[in-house]
């Protein structure tokens, strides 16, 4: 289970820790390390190259999804594990077609080609559960295709809200918003709820295992907006998600949980006696991000890694 806090480095985590007296989910991990995030084209990555590096093990150019720097499509860890017989899922609070989720289930030279990315997702037979926003890219298209109809014709179960979704089915696409989901807490407990249901569904009657990527998508949005209230709210939601995943891993011993990020956003610092969050840029920064690992094989991950190391490390742990 891979959890990605988009735009989340140590200051974002630390800012959240200052708001609570409780033990945070981040303090439950026995193994930590650091990740270098630069892309092929830039010292400061975007979420497309960052997500692609984590997902595929290839440094690529900013803006590119699921392709190496020569614009050649490369398989994601999700796709490789699907080929090994595992079930797979992706959960996000942004468009499903947005850079981070797309890096696991689509290939495109430009992250902004949302309708092409939606077509990739709709026709990717290596994914079992997809949950997020971005319904417009599936049904409100220049080519007039209704990808949801095409998917349901191909055996998918489509839902437009989590309260309507039946997770006893296989092949689930839940598009809970036309665009990005609302910020937390306006969207309610969508992300923890969706994560819990996806874990139950993917692990049910499944001897071959599963891969699930869950993104705290809007940590990045909050930091682009230099909005510390939005940031803390999104961190609280993501913390709840991590706790749910760790509880699942405790009950299911052959599970590995990794929490990391694609890059830092906002150049966040915590200066002064009150450590009040201070953003130094409206863009991403180039500082390293942490990772946290729990479960089977976690202690073999410790150290300083390139973001491209995860795929090979995970596959080596599977032998
Ligand atoms: Mg993202
Ligand atoms: Zn960003």
């Amino acid at each position: 289970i891979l959890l990605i806090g988009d735009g989340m480095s140590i200051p974002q985590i630390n800012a959240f820790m200052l708001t609570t007296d409780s033990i945070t989910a981040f303090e439950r991990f026995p193994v930590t390390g650091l990740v270098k995030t630069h892309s092929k084209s830039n010292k400061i990555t975007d979420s497309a190259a960052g997500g692609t590096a984590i997902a595929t093990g290839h440094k690529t150019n900013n803006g590119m999804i699921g392709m190496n720097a020569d614009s050649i499509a490369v398989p994601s860890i999700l796709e490789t594990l699907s080929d090994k017989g595992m079930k797979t899922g992706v959960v996000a609070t942004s468009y499903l077609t947005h850079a981070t989720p797309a890096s696991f289930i689509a290939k495109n030279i430009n992250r902004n080609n949302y309708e092409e990315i939606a077509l990739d997702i709709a026709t990717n037979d290596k994914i079992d559960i997809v949950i997020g926003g971005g319904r417009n890219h599936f049904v409100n298209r220049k080519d007039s295709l209704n990808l949801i109809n095409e998917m349901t014709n191909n055996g998918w179960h489509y839902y437009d809200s989590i309260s309507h979704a039946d997770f006893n089915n296989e092949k689930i696409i839940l598009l809970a918003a036309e665009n990005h989901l609302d910020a937390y807490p306006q969207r309610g407990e969508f992300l923890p709820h969706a994560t819990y249901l996806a874990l139950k569904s993917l692990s049910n009657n499944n001897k071959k295992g599963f891969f699930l990527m869950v993104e705290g998508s809007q940590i990045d949005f909050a930091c682009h907006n230099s909005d510390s209230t939005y940031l803390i709210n999104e961190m609280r939601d993501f913390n709840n998600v991590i706790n749910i995943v760790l509880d699942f891993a405790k009950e299911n011993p052959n599970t590995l949980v990794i929490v990391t990020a694609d890059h830092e956003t906002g150049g966040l610092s915590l200066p002064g006696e009150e450590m009040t969050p201070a953003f130094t840029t409206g863009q991403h920064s180039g500082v390293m991000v942490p990772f946290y690992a729990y479960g089977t094989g976690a202690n073999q991950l410790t150290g300083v890694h390139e973001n491209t190391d995860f795929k090979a490390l995970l596959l080596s742990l599977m032998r």
Side-chain angles (χ1 to χ4, degrees):
I1 307 166
L2 176 63
L3 299 119
I4 298 179
D6 195 321
M8 180 188 79
S9 188
I10 287 168
Q12 284 77 11
I13 295 165
N14 204 337
F16 168 64
M17 284 178 171
L18 292 170
T19 69
T20 176
D21 291 328
S22 308
I23 300 290
T24 66
F26 299 93
E27 293 159 86
R28 296 176 62 188
F29 287 85
V31 172
T32 59
L34 294 167
V35 187
K36 297 163 73 177
T37 65
H38 65 93
S39 73
K40 186 83 175 179
S41 59
N42 295 70
K43 284 183 178 162
I44 298 180
T45 190
D46 75 331
S47 292
T52 296
I54 296 169
T56 72
H58 291 269
K59 294 269 184 191
T60 194
N61 301 329
N62 284 10
M64 289 168 61
I65 298 286
M67 291 181 169
N68 68 19
D70 298 322
S71 309
I72 294 168
V74 282
S76 72
I77 178 80
L78 179 150
E79 292 164 330
T80 300
L81 293 176
S82 174
D83 286 340
K84 292 177 181 293
M86 295 173 84
K87 289 191 181 176
T88 64
V90 165
V91 182
T93 58
S94 62
Y95 311 145
L96 270 174
T97 48
H98 213 238
T100 315
S103 295
F104 289 81
I105 46 180
K107 320 288 171 193
N108 206 286
I109 200 162
N110 185 337
R111 61 179 289 173
N112 297 317
N113 290 335
Y114 291 118
E115 296 183 7
E116 293 179 10
I117 289 168
L119 185 59
D120 270 12
I121 295 169
T123 55
N124 191 332
D125 61 3
K126 301 185 195 303
I127 178 85
D128 297 294
I129 297 180
V130 279
I131 301 174
R135 191 187 307 130
N136 275 341
H137 301 145
F138 289 77
V139 298
N140 200 351
R141 299 167 53 86
K142 289 190 201 76
D143 61 13
S144 308
L145 288 176
N146 184 321
L147 298 183
I148 292 173
N149 285 348
E150 302 209 352
M151 291 177 82
T152 52
N153 288 338
N154 285 323
W156 284 83
H157 298 87
Y158 165 70
Y159 305 100
D160 64 1
S161 103
I162 194 160
S163 54
H164 299 148
D166 180 357
F167 279 80
N168 293 313
N169 287 313
E170 309 214 326
K171 290 283 182 186
I172 295 164
I173 177 162
L174 166 53
L175 295 171
E178 290 184 346
N179 297 302
H180 300 306
L181 273 80
D182 289 340
Y184 186 78
Q186 286 77 24
R187 66 173 176 266
E189 303 304 315
F190 174 86
L191 192 59
H193 196 190
T195 301
Y196 176 77
L197 292 171
L199 284 173
K200 262 182 71 175
S201 179
L202 290 169
S203 60
N204 185 38
N205 278 330
N206 176 4
K207 293 262 187 292
K208 291 205 148 182
F210 67 89
F211 172 85
L212 176 66
M213 193 286 288
V214 180
E215 186 195 21
S217 315
Q218 298 194 25
I219 297 165
D220 174 73
F221 299 2
C223 293
H224 279 294
N225 291 354
S226 302
D227 185 336
S228 57
T229 302
Y230 186 5
L231 166 62
I232 297 301
N233 286 337
E234 288 295 333
M235 286 299 302
R236 180 165 293 115
D237 186 51
F238 196 52
N239 183 73
N240 291 338
V241 170
I242 299 168
N243 274 324
I244 282 170
V245 171
L246 287 174
D247 291 346
F248 174 91
K250 277 205 162 161
E251 289 166 20
N252 296 271
N254 285 316
T255 308
L256 173 63
V257 180
I258 296 175
V259 179
T260 190
D262 47 357
H263 54 75
E264 196 272 349
T265 305
L268 184 63
S269 188
L270 301 172
E273 188 61 27
E274 300 301 318
M275 298 177 72
T276 307
F279 296 93
T280 61
T281 175
Q283 303 301 320
H284 301 169
S285 81
V287 302
M288 288 192 283
V289 296
F291 74 87
Y292 301 80
Y294 174 97
T296 307
N299 54 8
Q300 294 178 56
L301 300 177
T302 188
V304 181
H305 295 293
E306 290 288 352
N307 52 4
T308 44
D309 290 348
F310 282 109
K311 183 179 177 185
L313 284 168
L314 292 180
L315 291 176
S316 74
L317 291 176
M318 304 240 343
R319 282 179 313 201

